[in-house]
Amino acid sequence: MSGPVEEADKLVGQILNNKYQVQKRLSQGGMGVVYKARHVVLDTSVAIKVLLQNEDKVAQERFLSEARLASKVRHTNTVFIADFGVLQDGRAFLEMEFIDGRTLSAECEKGPIEVLRACQIAMQIARGLQAVHDKGIIHRDMKPDNVFLLEQDGTT
């Protein structure tokens, strides 16, 4: 019997909503799987988050509601959500900007972060969360794996 993880892996190589070609699996959380994909018309990289299961209509509605709210957030320190859809098997997905950077988790594994840099990172996290909270959204999965450090002006 195949479970949701095995089913999710079958998405690699597929084209979703006639727009997004799934290229590779990036990560998995308790609620969904995130893939790197390519927008087939624009030829740009995007990230696709797909719910693990389709049976829970309450989870799908919450996912759609959060996607609607989050798509209204446009801030330097947050990921932009641009599209939403439903797969043929009934699972919901959303498309967001693809962020090519290392996670705060990966940075912490290297050893202690210099105090000033840690404060700068914390300030950017706080600014992003404030932008999200200003739209009435509570981030339910804030963790170092969900914080990406990007190069800006030659530094990360």
Side-chain angles (χ1 to χ4, degrees):
M1 183 172 157
S2 64
V5 172
E6 292 153 353
E7 292 298 321
D9 286 341
K10 291 180 181 178
L11 290 178
V12 174
Q14 299 295 315
I15 295 180
L16 310 182
N17 273 22
N18 296 316
K19 290 191 252 185
Y20 310 111
Q21 182 179 29
V22 179
Q23 295 176 320
K24 71 177 183 176
R25 182 186 188 138
L26 296 174
S27 65
Q28 179 178 333
M31 194 171 169
V33 180
V34 179
Y35 296 91
K36 180 178 181 182
R38 182 181 65 82
H39 191 292
V40 296
V41 175
L42 301 177
D43 194 28
T44 56
S45 293
V46 298
I48 303 286
K49 182 175 184 179
V50 180
L51 282 181
L52 287 174
Q53 300 189 19
N54 62 355
E55 299 88 29
D56 187 351
K57 295 299 179 194
V58 172
Q60 274 197 355
E61 282 302 315
R62 188 177 82 208
F63 190 67
L64 173 57
S65 176
E66 289 176 3
R68 280 186 185 128
L69 287 171
S71 71
K72 294 173 180 17
V73 178
R74 303 211 182 203
H75 191 276
T76 304
N77 301 117
T78 63
V79 66
F80 177 64
I81 296 174
D83 199 3
F84 179 87
V86 178
L87 302 177
Q88 288 182 343
D89 66 8
R91 289 181 295 151
F93 74 90
L94 57 86
E95 178 264 324
M96 57 192 140
E97 72 178 300
F98 174 73
I99 298 176
D100 191 16
R102 68 183 177 283
T103 65
L104 181 56
S105 292
E107 186 70 11
C108 289
E109 288 173 7
K110 293 177 172 180
I113 297 174
E114 192 268 326
V115 173
L116 178 59
R117 183 154 187 260
C119 289
Q120 291 168 336
I121 292 169
M123 181 63 77
Q124 291 179 53
I125 292 169
R127 287 180 181 143
L129 285 172
Q130 184 65 55
V132 170
H133 291 173
D134 287 347
K135 296 292 184 182
I137 303 167
I138 297 171
H139 195 302
R140 294 188 174 122
D141 198 20
M142 192 66 224
K143 59 188 177 188
D145 280 340
N146 288 343
V147 174
F148 285 83
L149 305 177
L150 305 177
E151 187 174 314
Q152 296 176 335
D153 301 323
T155 61
T156 53

